[in-house]
């Protein structure tokens, strides 16, 4: 299998990834508590519409509807035995959409956490975690995905288990973690910790970075932390479209297309190469992000003050790497919501 992402990285200064899977599927009728992966079989038209929306909005890479498609997560829906099958279908639908595009589009196969805690803190063994990730990876490979895409990981043990599983599947991969606890992952990893861990893996990812978290400002601070380590490996930035708020019985993210356009350009200038959105990011956000990346010249690396001035306040005073945020309490001057 050719490595489509590496080929794209060789010729591109930046790559626009996709937006949110869950947010957009909820807008299509997915109910809270349902397994999105079951829609790969029951509503393939809606899944292809999701993918197509990203492509039409300018994404060079989109992720498959397989985030919770491992056996550990699917067993909660009595579908643990269908992990490989549902993942294969997710990738097949993505392959169909990508192949009919009039430009190169990479199919990234989303792989989320198991939902279990690994030993020695939890009960899941390393070997069992590798088996879970390997099973899903084989299904995604069979479906024609270009690259495996590990995301929203918080524990280094789980990241390492996935890396080992992806080597068994003989698939290229990327991997992001979520820094949502005062600039650290839920299990205490800092951006510096992750950058060092990635370089020490026997099977390192093509690119690494951060996704989700608490908001665009915090995510960009994390990207600056990656860049400060001097790794030559491409950095991924996939931030949420603003902050979630409960409105009329639904979760609404208050980030506007204007905000996400500013975020995308600042992510590039912070050192990210693969730039996309996470929760709340819709096609209209991606259109604005692509336009900004295409038209705004590359600038110097933003300072923490410039990030908060443009995107809003950080959620914590520092990110665990010893660098204080320059303006943790600063309010954004422009209304975004």
């Amino acid at each position: 299998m050719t490595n489509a992402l590496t080929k794209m990285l060789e010729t591109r200064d930046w790559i626009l990834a996709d937006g949110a899977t869950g947010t957009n599927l909820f807008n299509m009728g997915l109910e809270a508590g349902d397994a999105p992966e079951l829609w790969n079989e029951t509503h393939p038209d809606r899944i292809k519409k999701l993918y197509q929306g990203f492509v039409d909005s300018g994404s060079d890479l989109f992720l498959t509807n397989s985030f919770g498609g491992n056996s550990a997560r699917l067993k909660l829906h009595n579908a643990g035995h269908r992990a490989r099958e549902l993942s294969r279908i997710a990738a097949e639908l993505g392959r169909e959409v990508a192949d009919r595009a009039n430009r190169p589009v990479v199919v990234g196969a989303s792989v989320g956490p198991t939902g279990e805690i690994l030993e020695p803190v939890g009960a899941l063994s390393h070997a069992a975690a590798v088996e879970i990730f390997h099973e899903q990876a084989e299904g995604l490979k069979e479906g024609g995905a270009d690259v495996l895409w590990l995301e929203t990981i918080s524990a280094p043990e789980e990241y390492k288990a996935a890396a080992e599983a992806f080597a068994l599947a003989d698939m290229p991969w990327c991997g992001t973690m979520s820094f949502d606890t005062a600039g650290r992952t839920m299990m205490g990893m800092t951006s510096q910790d992750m950058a060092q861990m990635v370089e020490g893996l026997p099977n390192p990812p093509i690119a690494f970075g951060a996704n989700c978290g608490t908001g665009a400002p915090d995510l960009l601070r994390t990207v600056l932390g990656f860049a400060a380590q001097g790794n030559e490996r491409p950095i991924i930035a996939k931030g949420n479209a603003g902050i979630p708020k409960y409105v009329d019985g639904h979760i609404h993210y208050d980030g506007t297309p204007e905000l996400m356009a500013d975020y995308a350009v600042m992510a590039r200038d912070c050192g990210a190469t693969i730039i996309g959105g996470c929760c709340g990011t819709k096609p209209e956000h991606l259109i604005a992000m692509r336009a900004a990346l295409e038209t705004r010249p590359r600038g110097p690396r933003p300072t923490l003050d410039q990030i908060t001035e443009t995107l809003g306040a950080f959620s914590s005073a520092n990110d665990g790497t010893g660098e204080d945020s320059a303006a943790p309490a600063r309010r954004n001057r422009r209304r975004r919501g």
Side-chain angles (χ1 to χ4, degrees):
M1 182 176 293
T2 59
N3 190 334
L5 179 57
T6 297
K7 287 185 176 181
M8 187 176 286
L9 285 166
E10 290 172 351
T11 60
R12 295 287 302 276
D13 188 44
W14 51 265
I15 290 172
L16 182 66
D18 61 358
T21 296
T23 301
N24 289 295
L25 290 183
F26 285 132
N27 290 337
M28 293 181 186
L30 182 70
E31 296 291 335
D34 289 348
E37 294 75 23
L38 294 175
W39 269 28
N40 295 331
E41 180 179 61
T42 60
H43 296 293
D45 54 331
R46 300 183 194 181
I47 301 306
K48 286 190 287 186
K49 182 179 179 181
L50 172 75
Y51 298 161
Q52 191 66 54
F54 293 143
V55 174
D56 292 345
S57 300
S59 294
D60 301 301
L61 176 155
F62 66 83
L63 303 184
T64 58
N65 180 40
S66 50
F67 176 80
N70 61 70
S71 60
R73 293 285 289 268
L74 286 173
K75 72 180 181 182
L76 302 176
H77 306 277
N78 299 313
H81 61 291
R82 303 191 63 199
R84 184 167 181 159
E85 174 194 10
L86 291 170
S87 294
R88 173 182 55 77
I89 298 171
E92 287 175 344
L93 297 173
R95 186 77 269 151
E96 181 181 339
V97 171
D99 285 349
R100 66 168 179 251
N102 59 5
R103 57 189 171 82
V105 175
V106 174
V107 178
S110 175
V111 177
T114 62
E116 308 283 348
I117 299 178
L118 272 72
E119 296 174 343
V121 178
L124 184 66
S125 70
H126 174 81
V130 171
E131 183 178 353
I132 289 169
F133 284 126
H134 185 207
E135 177 188 30
Q136 185 179 13
E138 290 292 350
L140 294 164
K141 180 179 181 179
E142 290 169 0
D146 292 307
V147 59
L148 301 174
W149 193 281
L150 185 69
E151 56 177 336
T152 326
I153 301 298
S154 62
E157 295 82 8
E158 192 162 37
Y159 200 94
K160 293 174 182 178
E164 184 175 330
F166 298 162
L168 293 175
D170 193 25
M171 281 284 286
W173 69 288
C174 295
T176 59
M177 301 184 83
S178 182
F179 297 80
D180 54 6
T181 309
R184 295 172 178 262
T185 72
M186 185 177 66
M187 302 305 286
M189 290 280 286
T190 66
S191 56
Q192 179 179 1
D193 294 334
M194 183 186 185
Q196 293 174 353
M197 174 187 70
V198 163
E199 295 307 317
L201 291 174
N203 177 37
I206 295 172
F208 76 104
N211 78 294
C212 205
T214 54
D218 286 47
L219 188 130
L220 292 191
R221 184 170 60 179
T222 297
V223 171
L224 287 175
F226 293 144
Q229 298 306 305
N231 297 19
E232 295 185 2
R233 202 173 303 280
I235 295 171
I236 300 164
K238 258 182 142 262
N240 294 340
I243 304 299
K245 297 180 179 179
Y246 198 68
V247 180
D248 296 330
H250 299 280
I251 297 296
H252 170 74
Y253 282 80
D254 64 1
T256 63
E258 179 191 16
L259 172 76
M260 292 303 283
D262 290 343
Y263 146 78
V265 171
M266 295 191 88
R268 178 196 64 191
D269 294 347
C270 283
T273 301
I274 302 174
I275 301 160
C278 203
C279 302
T281 308
K282 301 177 183 178
E284 53 261 39
H285 295 107
L286 294 168
I287 291 170
M289 291 164 66
R290 180 152 200 121
L293 287 166
E294 288 180 336
T295 58
R296 299 189 202 177
R298 182 179 289 274
R301 189 158 291 172
T303 65
L304 296 178
D305 269 332
Q306 288 170 333
I307 291 173
T308 58
E309 180 72 23
T310 303
L311 301 179
F314 298 124
S315 65
S316 61
N318 63 67
D319 63 356
T321 62
E323 295 292 333
D324 291 337
S325 68
R330 185 187 297 270
R331 300 293 296 178
N332 187 18
R333 290 182 178 178
R334 287 182 284 171
R335 185 174 180 83
R336 296 289 181 179

